[in-house]
Every structure is written in structure tokens, then in C-alpha cells.
Amino acid sequence: MKTYKSYLFDLDGTVYHGNEPIVSAIHFINKLANSHIPYGFVTNNSTRSPKQVAKRLNGMGILAEPWQIMTSSVATASYLQAKMPHSALYIIGEEGLFEALAAFAQTEDKPDAVVIGLDRAITHEKLSKAARFVANGAALIATNPDAMITTESGLVVGNGALVAAVAYATKTEPIVIGKPGAAIVEAAIKQLKLDPRHTVFVGDNYDTDLLAGIHAGIDTIHVQTGITTDLSAYKIQPTYSIPSLDDWPI
Amino acid sequence: MKTYKSYLFDLDGTVYHGNEPIVSAIHFINKLANSHIPYGFVTNNSTRSPKQVAKRLNGMGILAEPWQIMTSSVATASYLQAKMPHSALYIIGEEGLFEALAAFAQTEDKPDAVVIGLDRAITHEKLSKAARFVANGAALIATNPDAMITTESGLVVGNGALVAAVAYATKTEPIVIGKPGAAIVEAAIKQLKLDPRHTVFVGDNYDTDLLAGIHAGIDTIHVQTGITTDLSAYKIQPTYSIPSLDDWPI
């Protein structure tokens, strides 16, 4: 087993299950903190701000500060700053996305890009505005491609479904930022000033977490505490697969 | 030019443009009425009832009764009656769809099918319910696959976009009833008791109207009064293409 200099963690299924902390992960992360080994968290959730996510982790006994949290909204802001820094946006989303994109102008008059994050107050009018702007040439940018997500109120459609509606209406392929894309991992590495050669991505879900790490070209550790239980079908294997973080020495 | 015994018409682009009647079509249809030649109308609009559509046509000076109108909602009811007659449904849509499906039970407890028509009051909760039911095995049925449609309030996303959201969330292929599918044309032929060999479908839009006629195996007349102006790219040509219905003898 390789010794890594820094760690990135998925959240749900890796660090907690809904409101239940995963004890092995909590222990491991706090050992990293005590040993001054850098770590961060990478989440497709676009609705919460890094501050809100950090507060939630703190409430579970995990040492985490907002700058250690890379949400798909912050990664989207990072992408836009790099690729279209002076663009005016039409935004569909919740607090976490609007906060992340606060530095950009917003307009309903020929926006350069339509950015869509999960919006549980989505309306036909918002979708129609987005589609009209994209049909008129605006880029279509998705914070993440989640199909369905687990929330306090059960399984609900994720952001990918809202984006699919606009993509279908406009026959346009969206630019997708979150996992399993590399952009969100790259944004975390940049924000935390990590060396990708010595950084490992820890996650439970092959199709999102491990693929995101693989796409970003960094090592991956599969923890068998969440969604993916059988890796045999996958052509590209994670670097390691372990029952839980109790089985990983720092 | 062949003499047909009955006619089916698309509406927008063929009979009117929004609120503007197309004079050549009005004249032609009223000549059919005076000559006792059967005719009907086939529309992907799922939100209005046949009665409402007939009233609108009457207001434009066209003789039309509700039984002559085949909406995608009525075609969906016809499909369900044939394929899953005792099914309990979860319905997303507007008045025209709920009215068409009034004979079916509605449930939020393991519905056999989720039926989606355009709903301008769509919510994240409705989409999530639909996705949960489909994920649990309900069939996903779309009244029509419209991407964007023109309304009084401009271009808005059509029903296909709402269906795409649920299809994406559940990785499920929908059963699609409206044009360019054959089912809605077949439902019109059945309801009007027409002989398909002597019936022609008149429409302006190749990708919806003419393809629907072609898929249903009946002759088609392309009128150059609407969306499709150039047929050269299409492999399967309509039976005829004419500038307007002024150019068609009964």
C-alpha cells in the first residue's frame, strides 16, 4: 500500500450515510488532521455552500473548514473563471450555486451561459427561459449530472434530470462539471494546493467518485461502505479496494 | 393527383399560425364539409380537450366537432385502453390529459404507468414522484415528444423535455404516443372510422406530421405554409408537396 501525502473524500457513503456518520471514516480523517496531512471533500451537491457543508461535518465530529470543501457549485465557478471569466449568466439553482457564482453578472438578456444546479423550486418558466437562451447560443453548463439523489424526504430527481430537460428541448450537449468528470477533482486539487501524484481519492461509488479520480488521473481507494459493492464488471479498477478506512494505514 | 376519401390535418402551420387562420386551409376544409367528405385534426397538444380545440377552430370559421379532434391525450387514453386497460395511473399534465384519462384509476401507491403530458405547473416533487414510480417498475408513457412549442407567451419547453427529465433520472426509455409516432394517426383513423388506404395526412412539419403519416402507412401531403420549407434532405418523401391547399382539388 502506497503512502499518500494528501486525501480527497467523497461524502455520502464514504464519510456518512445520510445523517449517520461512518465511524471508521471519522476516525481516519481526524487522524489525518492530527498528523497535519492535508485532506478535502468533494461533493456533487450544488445546493449547499462550503460553509454549510463544513458545519454539517463538524456536527458529526469531523474537523473540516469551508476551504477544504469542493462542491460542484464552487467547481463550476472555478471552471467559468478559467474558461469564460467575464460571462453574464442565467442561473437555475439554490443558495449554494448563487453564492458560488456571486462574482458573475446575471442577466436575462442574451446570457453567455446558462448554469443549472439542482433547484427544488424548478418551474416550467425557468426551464423555458433556459431553453430559449441556449437555443440563442448560450452555453449549457451543469454543476453535476446526478440522476436521482437521496434526501431527507426520500429519493428525488437530481440535477442531471433538469439539465436533461433543457438539453432535450434544445438538442444541445451540456458541459458537465461534477463527478464523474475530472473538473471538480482538479478544482479541489488546485484549491487545496495538492500534488496530484501523491493525492488519492477515497469514495464508495464507482460510477461517480472512482471514475472522477480516474478521469483526473489520480489514484483511487474504493471503500466498501456504500453503493458499489462489486467491482468485477469494471474494466478500469480503482488503485485499491478496502472494507473500510479502518483498513488503511496513514 | 390522387382523389382521397378522407383527410387528416395537422393544426399549427397547416390550419393556422398561432391565432391567425391560414385562409387556403379554411376554404379547403369548409369545401370538404360541404361535400360531406370526412376529415379530422391531429394535434400533439395534450393540454386542451377536443371540445376546447373544436371551439377554437369554430372561432376561426372552421367547421369542426369534438369527435373530429384527435389530441395526444385522447390518443394516449386509446393506447392505454388497448394495451393496459385496467391500469392505475400517476398523471402529470393539464386539463386535457386528466379529462382524456378520466376512465382510469389514479394512484400514488405503485401505479402501473406514469403518464406525462405538458404541465406548465410542473414541480420537482411531481418529477420525483414520477421517477420513483418508474424506478419501481411503472411504465413511462409520454403523450408526445415535443421539444419546444410556440405559445401565447412565446417559445417554451414542450412535453418531451419533462419526459426527458424522468427518462434520464430512471434510465428508462419512454413509450411515446404523439406525432411523429403512428399511434396518434391510428387512433384518429379508428375514431373517425376511416379507410387508411384512402386517407391522406396533411401537414407542414416533416419531422412530426409527415413522419407520423409515413409511420402509420398512409399517404401524406406536405403544405408549404409552415415549418418545413426544404424537403431535399429527407430520404422518404411525402406523397405530394404543394404551396398551399388552394393547389389541391377535392
Side-chain angles (χ1 to χ4, degrees):
Chain A
M1 285 171 179
K2 188 171 158 181
T3 301
Y4 293 100
K5 289 188 182 160
S6 50
Y7 290 79
L8 293 173
F9 296 93
D10 163 56
L11 291 176
D12 210 357
T14 301
V15 170
Y16 52 70
H17 288 123
N19 289 320
E20 281 298 308
I22 296 173
V23 178
S24 53
I26 314 293
H27 283 168
F28 185 81
I29 293 163
N30 287 338
K31 271 198 281 176
L32 292 179
N34 292 333
S35 311
H36 305 288
I37 296 172
Y39 60 91
F41 303 91
V42 177
T43 173
N44 268 5
N45 188 321
S46 65
T47 62
R48 291 201 184 103
S49 68
K51 203 171 154 185
Q52 288 171 315
V53 175
K55 200 174 160 194
R56 184 156 185 239
L57 291 172
N58 296 343
M60 292 180 179
I62 299 168
L63 291 164
E65 296 190 38
W67 60 269
Q68 289 175 289
I69 317 291
M70 179 52 62
T71 70
S72 63
S73 289
V74 174
T76 299
S78 174
Y79 172 89
L80 286 166
Q81 239 117 34
K83 304 282 184 177
M84 28 197 319
H86 304 294
S87 51
L89 310 175
Y90 176 68
I91 304 170
I92 290 177
E94 297 188 15
E95 195 186 347
L97 183 57
F98 282 93
E99 189 180 313
L101 297 176
F104 290 87
Q106 288 179 44
T107 184
E108 295 196 6
D109 180 23
K110 295 188 190 153
D112 304 296
V114 167
V115 181
I116 304 183
L118 181 61
D119 179 1
R120 283 165 289 188
I122 191 69
T123 63
H124 182 254
E125 196 190 350
K126 290 181 190 176
L127 292 173
S128 295
K129 279 184 185 173
R132 286 197 298 268
F133 298 144
V134 171
N136 284 328
L140 174 59
I141 296 171
T143 58
N144 69 80
D146 294 0
M148 294 192 79
I149 56 171
T150 308
T151 66
E152 295 80 13
S153 43
L155 210 57
V156 302
V157 296
N159 184 50
L162 307 186
V163 175
V166 177
Y168 179 91
T170 58
K171 298 175 177 59
T172 301
E173 200 65 40
I175 295 164
V176 182
I177 304 299
K179 299 180 282 186
I184 191 169
V185 178
E186 290 161 358
I189 286 171
K190 193 176 162 196
Q191 178 167 295
L192 288 152
K193 299 188 174 62
L194 307 180
D195 180 344
R197 290 167 303 170
H198 299 286
T199 301
V200 67
F201 195 112
V202 184
D204 67 301
N205 186 330
Y206 184 91
D207 296 312
T208 56
D209 306 322
L210 303 180
L211 271 187
I214 289 163
H215 290 150
I218 67 171
D219 280 4
T220 52
I221 296 174
H222 170 237
V223 282
Q224 297 153 20
T225 53
I227 287 197
T228 306
T229 51
D230 183 3
L231 289 166
S232 60
Y234 298 108
K235 214 151 103 183
I236 306 174
Q237 290 285 307
T239 320
Y240 300 97
S241 179
I242 55 176
S244 83
L245 284 163
D246 280 341
D247 302 285
W248 193 264
I250 291 180
Chain B
M1 285 173 179
K2 188 171 158 182
T3 301
Y4 292 99
K5 289 188 182 159
S6 49
Y7 290 80
L8 293 174
F9 296 93
D10 163 56
L11 290 177
D12 210 357
T14 300
V15 169
Y16 53 70
H17 288 123
N19 290 320
E20 281 298 308
I22 296 173
V23 178
S24 52
I26 314 292
H27 283 167
F28 186 81
I29 294 163
N30 288 338
K31 271 198 282 176
L32 292 179
N34 293 333
S35 311
H36 304 288
I37 297 173
Y39 61 91
F41 303 91
V42 177
T43 173
N44 268 5
N45 187 321
S46 66
T47 62
R48 290 201 184 104
S49 68
K51 204 171 155 185
Q52 288 170 315
V53 174
K55 201 175 159 193
R56 184 157 186 239
L57 290 173
N58 296 342
M60 291 180 179
I62 299 167
L63 290 165
E65 297 190 37
W67 59 270
Q68 289 174 290
I69 317 291
M70 180 52 62
T71 70
S72 63
S73 288
V74 174
T76 299
S78 174
Y79 173 89
L80 286 167
Q81 238 116 34
K83 304 282 182 176
M84 30 198 315
H86 305 295
S87 51
L89 311 175
Y90 176 67
I91 304 170
I92 290 177
E94 298 188 15
E95 195 184 347
L97 183 57
F98 281 95
E99 189 181 313
L101 297 177
F104 289 87
Q106 288 179 44
T107 184
E108 296 196 6
D109 180 23
K110 295 186 189 155
D112 304 297
V114 167
V115 181
I116 305 184
L118 181 60
D119 179 1
R120 285 165 288 188
I122 191 68
T123 62
H124 182 253
E125 195 190 349
K126 290 181 190 175
L127 292 173
S128 296
K129 279 183 185 173
R132 285 198 297 268
F133 298 145
V134 171
N136 283 329
L140 174 58
I141 296 170
T143 58
N144 69 80
D146 294 359
M148 295 192 79
I149 55 170
T150 309
T151 67
E152 294 81 13
S153 43
L155 209 58
V156 302
V157 296
N159 184 50
L162 306 186
V163 175
V166 176
Y168 179 91
T170 58
K171 297 174 176 63
T172 300
E173 201 64 40
I175 296 164
V176 182
I177 304 300
K179 299 180 281 186
I184 192 169
V185 177
E186 290 161 359
I189 286 171
K190 194 176 161 196
Q191 179 167 295
L192 288 151
K193 299 189 175 64
L194 307 180
D195 180 344
R197 290 167 303 169
H198 299 286
T199 301
V200 67
F201 195 111
V202 184
D204 67 301
N205 186 329
Y206 184 90
D207 296 311
T208 57
D209 306 322
L210 304 179
L211 270 187
I214 290 164
H215 290 151
I218 68 171
D219 281 4
T220 52
I221 296 173
H222 170 236
V223 282
Q224 296 153 19
T225 52
I227 287 198
T228 305
T229 51
D230 183 4
L231 289 167
S232 60
Y234 297 108
K235 213 150 106 182
I236 306 174
Q237 290 285 310
T239 319
Y240 301 97
S241 178
I242 55 176
S244 83
L245 284 163
D246 280 340
D247 302 283
W248 193 264
I250 291 180

